Amino acid sequence: FMGSSHVSSLARVPKLNLSLIKRELKSPASLVHMKKAPRILFFVTEDWVFWSHRLSLAKAAKKDGYEVQVVTRVHEHKDLIEKEGFKLIPLNMGRGSTNLLRELFTIIEVIKIYRREKPDLVHHVAVKPVLYGTLAARFSLRPAVINLLTGFTRTFHKIKWKSALIEKTVMLAYRLAYWGMNPVTVFQNQSDMQIFLDHKILKRKNAEIIKGSGVDTQHFFERLEPEGKPVVVLASRMLWEKGIKEFVEAAEWLHRNDVECRMVLVGDADLESPKSVPPEILDEWNSKGIVEWWGHEDNMPKVFSKANIVCLPSYHEGAPKVLLEAASSGIAIVATDIPGCGQIARQDENGLLVPVKDSIKLAEAIKFLVENPKTRKEMGARGRKLVLEEFSDKIIIKKYLSLYKRVVG
């Protein structure tokens, strides 16, 4: 039993207010001190690529409680990215560089960034970020890794000895980067994923398919077809591998065969890429009236409002954003019969597919849609329905956020 002195001393102890403590623990300010927000770091090649393809996902991640950082080459989107509340970390990375010493310094710089920033999750997009970022994760605090490979099949189109050598070299690079890491890797089509599985670079449990980066179906809405001479649009960077040569040859064939349509190129030359169509050639085509070259356009809904057909005769793609946007806008599509295009432009459903590098088949497909307005309108409507069911940004973002939660824990 306690004496009276002990009882009196206990009486002086303030009574705990349990309800107040519970309220404090539930308050946002208290939660910040209890657990910091998980940090996600996006590593992409160019700031404009992040702005065009990953912005909606990054905003959704921030809303979901993540602190968002972006590592990329910086050109003209710095202020826009930072205004979204994201930390932008510039990286001097050569896109087409083959200088091994420079590439080694880039990898070292990425390792330094990862060690300094200590991300909980890194999301790498495209070949160099996947290779360099996965290596950097190995030599830092081993954050959770998600790799996204888009249009990976470009390495495998040719079958000559040089292409075989390139394939072996690329596979070796991925094997070294992935050794002991087991990162989750996202592909945009089954064909690209199968390459990794066949080469035993990746286990099936760590492979995911998410079809594209999604499209804002309210921004790219179904609209009435423009009247007058049908307009056929190819919108992309002006790279030969986008099928620019075949598009121009198709335009010449259509002109010779008196098919009434306007063939339009939309996009800039990529002066840093050896695969770019030189601006002087684009100017020459435009001045001769072979095709119209509209140059770079930020307002793609405005471009699509003038188009009757969207064309992409590319040699390789993951899940091309321009086709998603065209389908969302209710426009019939002509594209090459490759995995990336074929999952969006489905034969005789919302578009027509043609062989790679076949300008005659391309021209014939365009001719058919030019001369059959009822068919192309029906295809456009089916394309809109397809996007709403499978490719809207809400669907794609939900899949990525679920994946983030799975790998971060």
Side-chain angles (χ1 to χ4, degrees):
F1 294 99
M2 293 185 292
S4 60
S5 60
H6 290 92
V7 173
S8 61
S9 64
L10 285 171
R12 291 194 296 271
V13 176
K15 186 179 180 180
L16 293 175
N17 190 333
L18 295 177
S19 62
L20 178 62
I21 292 172
K22 288 178 180 178
R23 284 201 303 271
E24 285 298 316
L25 288 174
K26 289 180 179 179
S27 71
S30 298
L31 289 173
V32 168
H33 294 291
M34 291 173 63
K35 184 179 179 181
K36 72 179 184 69
R39 180 175 293 170
I40 181 171
L41 185 150
F42 289 89
F43 180 12
V44 300
T45 52
E46 308 283 349
D47 58 353
W48 67 264
V49 173
F50 172 81
W51 188 257
S52 171
H53 290 69
R54 308 295 154 207
L55 177 62
S56 296
L57 176 58
K59 288 168 73 172
K62 183 184 175 186
K63 186 176 179 181
D64 209 39
Y66 291 87
E67 178 188 338
V68 177
Q69 298 179 325
V70 183
V71 173
T72 187
R73 290 209 319 169
V74 176
H75 291 283
E76 56 186 41
H77 287 77
K78 178 179 183 294
D79 292 341
L80 291 171
I81 292 171
E82 290 179 338
K83 281 180 182 177
E84 293 291 340
F86 309 147
K87 181 176 180 180
L88 182 61
I89 304 169
L91 180 67
N92 184 21
M93 178 175 63
R95 261 178 50 214
S97 171
T98 55
N99 184 314
L100 293 180
L101 186 60
R102 179 179 178 180
E103 299 308 295
L104 178 60
F105 281 134
T106 300
I107 294 171
I108 292 170
E109 182 60 28
V110 177
I111 292 171
K112 289 178 180 178
I113 291 170
Y114 283 19
R115 287 183 171 180
R116 182 182 72 239
E117 300 299 332
K118 299 179 176 61
D120 299 287
L121 167 65
V122 286
H123 186 157
H124 306 132
V125 182
V127 176
K128 278 192 177 181
V130 165
L131 288 172
Y132 298 179
T134 304
L135 286 169
R138 178 194 301 278
F139 294 107
S140 56
L141 296 177
R142 295 236 175 174
V145 177
I146 291 179
N147 290 334
L148 169 59
L149 285 165
T150 60
F152 183 73
T153 50
R154 65 181 174 275
T155 314
F156 307 99
H157 280 302
K158 299 177 181 179
I159 56 173
K160 295 178 181 178
W161 69 267
K162 186 178 282 189
S163 290
L165 179 62
I166 291 172
E167 177 182 343
K168 288 181 180 179
T169 303
V170 170
M171 290 296 99
L172 177 61
Y174 279 110
R175 200 180 300 279
L176 290 172
Y178 273 56
W179 178 72
M181 289 295 292
N182 295 319
V184 172
T185 303
V186 177
F187 302 90
Q188 295 187 327
N189 59 68
Q190 180 71 34
S191 176
D192 287 357
M193 183 181 77
Q194 198 60 47
I195 291 168
F196 263 51
L197 297 178
D198 289 346
H199 283 81
K200 295 182 170 49
I201 296 170
L202 188 68
K203 294 179 180 177
R204 180 63 186 87
K205 67 179 182 179
N206 291 330
E208 297 282 339
I209 293 181
I210 299 179
K211 299 176 182 178
S213 52
V215 58
D216 185 339
T217 56
Q218 292 183 324
H219 189 59
F220 292 93
F221 55 89
E222 194 171 12
R223 80 291 172 276
L224 295 174
E225 265 209 341
E227 296 181 355
K229 189 183 292 188
V231 175
V232 184
V233 169
L234 191 168
S236 75
R237 286 180 295 155
M238 294 293 103
L239 303 176
W240 292 113
E241 61 193 24
K242 294 295 182 180
I244 306 297
K245 173 176 173 286
E246 289 74 21
F247 186 80
V248 173
E249 290 173 349
E252 293 173 329
W253 187 94
L254 291 164
H255 178 72
R256 288 195 304 270
N257 287 274
D258 299 319
V259 179
E260 291 291 319
C261 65
R262 294 165 58 193
M263 300 284 281
V264 177
L265 293 170
V266 178
D268 265 343
D270 187 346
L271 300 180
E272 292 190 48
S273 172
K275 301 173 183 177
S276 179
V277 182
E280 55 270 23
I281 291 181
L282 293 163
D283 281 327
E284 181 182 350
W285 288 337
N286 187 71
S287 63
K288 288 183 176 179
I290 299 171
V291 294
E292 300 174 34
W293 179 38
W294 292 359
H296 175 73
E297 288 282 353
D298 283 319
N299 190 341
M300 287 308 295
K302 182 180 177 183
V303 171
F304 290 144
S305 72
K306 301 174 183 177
N308 302 82
I309 301 165
V310 166
C311 181
L312 187 64
S314 184
Y315 303 167
H316 54 82
E317 293 289 340
K321 198 164 189 284
V322 66
L323 294 190
L324 289 172
E325 292 170 349
S328 183
S329 303
I331 304 173
I333 295 167
V334 176
T336 36
D337 190 6
I338 57 176
C341 292
Q343 67 179 346
I344 302 167
R346 298 179 183 176
Q347 180 68 21
D348 295 326
E349 182 179 342
N350 66 316
L352 298 174
L353 297 173
V354 300
V356 174
K357 297 185 179 181
D358 191 331
S359 57
I360 302 301
K361 292 292 185 184
L362 178 65
E364 290 172 347
I366 293 170
K367 177 178 184 291
F368 175 80
L369 289 181
V370 165
E371 295 178 347
N372 291 274
K374 184 174 182 291
T375 299
R376 69 172 183 258
K377 288 174 185 176
E378 290 171 349
M379 285 184 171
R382 288 194 289 267
R384 171 71 179 180
K385 183 174 182 290
L386 176 67
V387 168
L388 290 172
E389 292 175 351
E390 296 186 29
F391 295 101
S392 78
D393 55 357
K394 292 179 181 178
I395 294 171
I396 301 301
I397 287 170
K398 184 178 179 181
K399 289 181 179 180
Y400 271 113
L401 292 181
S402 176
L403 189 58
Y404 291 169
K405 285 183 177 134
R406 190 182 101 196
V407 300
V408 173

